[in-house]
Amino acid sequence: PVLASVDLDSDIAHTVRQANCGWIVVPNQQNQLSQKLLDITKLNKQELIQLGNNGFEYSQKFLSKEINLNKICKTIEMLKDEK
């Protein structure tokens, strides 16, 4: 699982929410971060495993080298065809 201390409207926060793989805490909020860490320690192992699996599956589906290289190649081909 991911515990990200990032702006709520950042790309990272969007990805964590989209992947359902963790939590977002606003930067510079030590109390909120500490509380979230305590909350996480109370989760059962299966919940943590599920969040980790969610993140892994999301990364394989949207963030892998193969997926993104294919997207780049298609974009280059599209731009080339527009000339």
Side-chain angles (χ1 to χ4, degrees):
V2 174
L3 174 56
S5 179
V6 296
D7 291 327
L8 297 177
D9 61 346
S10 68
D11 289 340
I12 294 170
H14 172 74
T15 299
V16 170
R17 284 191 296 270
Q18 192 76 20
N20 189 28
C21 66
W23 308 268
I24 299 126
V25 176
V26 178
N28 302 316
Q29 298 295 320
Q30 291 83 0
N31 290 340
Q32 187 181 16
L33 181 61
S34 297
Q35 184 59 54
K36 185 53 68 181
L37 283 168
L38 287 173
D39 293 345
I40 292 169
T41 64
K42 296 174 185 171
L43 294 176
N44 68 52
K45 185 177 180 178
Q46 193 56 43
E47 290 175 284
L48 296 171
I49 289 170
Q50 184 60 56
L51 288 167
N53 287 338
N54 291 350
F56 179 77
E57 289 172 16
Y58 183 92
S59 71
Q60 294 303 298
K61 187 173 180 181
F62 297 106
L63 305 174
S64 72
K65 179 173 63 174
E66 293 80 15
I67 295 293
N68 285 301
L69 185 57
N70 189 34
K71 288 179 184 177
I72 290 169
C73 289
K74 284 181 181 180
T75 301
I76 291 170
E77 287 296 320
M78 186 178 66
L79 292 172
K80 184 177 89 174
D81 291 342
E82 287 180 2
K83 286 187 173 185

